Amino acid sequence: MASRRENKGFHLDSLARVVRYTALNEFLALPIAGAAHFLTFDSSVKYLTALFTHANRLGVKLNPRDLNLPKIARTALTLGLVGAAYSANDFLTKWTANNWTRNKPGEWKTLDKEIVLITGASSGIGEHTAKMLLAWHKGVKIVIVDFAPMSWEPSAADASRVFYFQADLSKPEVVRSVSKRIKKKVGHPTVLINNAGLARGFSVLEGSYADVEVTIKTNLQAPFLLIKEFVPHMAKTNHGHIVTICSMSAVVPTPGIVDYSATKAGVQALHEGLALELKHRHKADKVRLTNIIPNFIRTPLLSGVPRQSQFGAPLLHVETVAETIVRQIESGYGGVVYLPGIMRYITCLRALPEWVFTYLIRNGTVNLAVGFQGRQIIDENGGLRAVKVQKAEIAEKSDRSEAPEVPEKPEKSEAAEKAERPERPERAERSEAGERPERAERAERSERSERSERADRAERSGRSNRAERRARNERSERSS
């Protein structure tokens, strides 16, 4: 559910929470229904009379005739049964998602023995998740994997528990390399939070091949590969937690980020299918899986406030999403979490006829009045080259297969440039593929291509010579 941060704490989720714990609280409504029903009996009139006499002495004038006890009993009973149905639904949902298995005593009571890997934690949701974990659990180790440099620094006391690895997760060889280094330097993560994701902000027809490729590889392929790297150890020990950051755009695709929506739909399928495989094929029924499905969040990806009711579906703060992730891990159980909670009912509307859902929900995404801002620059090989690019720079590209050009700066003297140029920080650990200079890499590719061509020519020449020898032999046999 959304929290006090959204819309000054007044929204549909906060109201629903009050109703749930008062009117729809079965432990409150059912006793009231029983008491009202009991007072309708003739034998209980003396109790009711004594109650009203007591109230009149206190100055509260009540008349037994003003009470419609049968109606009060029916109303309270109805509310209590609805509340009990909600509780039963929550109970069945929780335990079905967790294979009806309980944790060992104290298994997730503290996270001090856990290693939490968070992708995309140099800023945004991942950053706040890491900070909350560090503040609330003094022994937990945090592994951050991100292409962008760290925008925050842990405190001196926490620095030894934070490990940062710079990596372009859109490249499989980099994922493999950085995973090996993490296992060697830190150990096997017991919590994997697949948070890293990007959106280019182009329509299907406007985006280049590279835009589509890097979005799918980063948002969908990378979680697959990271799961292949780290979840086998979780399955072996039957202990771990995989948190997937999905999106409501997987349910209701939004124009301008259709490629992003498609990857999030794929991530949702990954979450659901992996849960079945871990339970039935790998017998790891205590490896927990959580799927976070948020609505729009205040991140650099989004510009403007969506044109939708901030009471019904408020714009989320990154702290709200981060706190939800941490609380879910602390609980030791998995599940599907919608933010805000009303989004689960939007998902239920998918059961309506297609034309009804299209007119009621899907068409509304066209008029959201928000922009989606791709912050990355894509290189000629479809990899990430830079971050924090202004939307205007991207929009001005005439050929989107090329990386957007940075606006020219006024010419300055060499001395002035040296004075203004900041010292470059030490490069974070990278894979061998990421550290190789571009010039050497191009030369190596060219050399490999030449070797391949020479081998092909030699093979074709060998085949030609063998065919010629066979033809000569056949002619000589026929002549003899």
Side-chain angles (χ1 to χ4, degrees), residues 80-375:
L81 291 176
V82 171
Y86 268 104
S87 296
N89 177 70
D90 292 342
F91 176 84
L92 294 172
T93 299
K94 173 184 175 179
W95 292 109
T96 301
N98 292 280
N99 305 313
W100 297 92
T101 59
R102 290 185 176 275
N103 298 318
K104 298 177 182 177
E107 185 175 2
W108 291 98
K109 184 177 181 180
T110 175
L111 304 181
D112 290 349
K113 296 182 180 180
E114 310 297 336
I115 300 175
V116 182
L117 189 154
I118 312 173
T119 62
S122 66
S123 62
I125 296 171
E127 173 192 347
H128 287 84
T129 302
K131 288 180 177 178
M132 289 180 184
L133 286 169
L134 290 170
W136 298 346
H137 301 276
K138 297 304 180 183
V140 66
K141 293 181 180 178
I142 305 294
V143 178
I144 296 172
V145 180
D146 203 332
F147 178 74
M150 289 279 285
S151 64
W152 60 282
E153 291 185 5
S155 64
D158 296 334
S160 61
R161 299 189 287 134
V162 178
F163 303 85
Y164 169 64
F165 296 83
Q166 189 175 36
D168 182 355
L169 294 176
S170 67
K171 298 178 179 178
E173 67 275 10
V174 175
V175 174
R176 182 182 292 110
S177 175
V178 76
S179 298
K180 289 180 179 178
R181 295 204 310 276
I182 291 170
K183 295 173 188 175
K184 183 177 180 179
K185 184 174 181 179
V186 188
H188 289 273
T190 54
V191 179
L192 171 62
I193 304 177
N194 282 314
N195 169 70
L198 58 86
R200 301 295 297 136
F202 300 128
S203 71
V204 175
L205 302 185
E206 292 173 341
S208 68
Y209 277 38
D211 290 324
V212 175
E213 183 179 5
V214 75
T215 301
I216 293 176
K217 285 185 174 181
T218 303
N219 296 4
L220 182 57
Q221 178 180 275
F224 264 93
L225 299 182
L226 291 169
I227 285 171
K228 289 177 68 65
E229 289 288 346
F230 299 117
V231 175
H233 183 266
M234 299 183 193
K236 183 179 179 180
T237 58
N238 202 17
H239 173 83
H241 202 140
I242 306 160
V243 180
T244 301
I245 309 300
C246 191
S247 170
M248 274 303 295
S249 64
V251 181
V252 188
T254 303
I257 52 169
V258 175
D259 50 356
Y260 174 87
S261 301
T263 60
K264 290 305 182 181
V267 162
Q268 185 168 357
L270 168 62
H271 164 84
E272 295 170 357
L274 179 63
L276 295 174
E277 290 186 352
L278 287 173
K279 176 184 178 182
H280 297 287
R281 294 199 174 187
H282 303 288
K283 309 305 178 184
D285 53 2
K286 292 180 69 176
V287 176
R288 309 306 188 189
L289 291 94
T290 292
N291 192 19
I292 307 292
I293 306 181
N295 196 29
F296 293 115
I297 309 171
R298 295 180 186 272
T299 64
L301 170 65
L302 191 71
S303 61
V305 178
R307 190 182 294 164
Q308 60 186 22
S309 171
Q310 292 301 300
F311 173 75
L315 186 61
L316 298 170
H317 289 254
V318 291
E319 293 91 339
T320 297
V321 183
E323 185 177 353
T324 301
I325 295 170
V326 174
R327 294 303 186 193
Q328 191 70 21
I329 296 172
E330 290 175 336
S331 74
Y333 294 100
V336 179
V337 182
Y338 291 89
L339 292 171
I342 190 177
M343 292 297 128
R344 66 167 51 88
Y345 302 107
I346 300 296
T347 304
C348 292
L349 294 178
R350 291 298 299 263
L352 295 173
E354 187 67 19
W355 65 270
V356 177
F357 184 78
T358 297
Y359 279 104
L360 289 181
I361 305 299
R362 188 176 291 143
N363 284 347
T365 62
V366 178
N367 302 315
L368 288 173
V370 294
F372 301 100
Q373 181 169 318
R375 299 182 295 148

Side-chain angles (χ1 to χ4, degrees), residues 444 446-457:
E444 187 176 340
S446 176
E447 185 178 347
R448 285 200 301 267
S449 177
E450 290 178 3
R451 286 200 299 267
S452 177
E453 289 179 3
R454 286 198 298 270
D456 289 343
R457 285 198 298 270

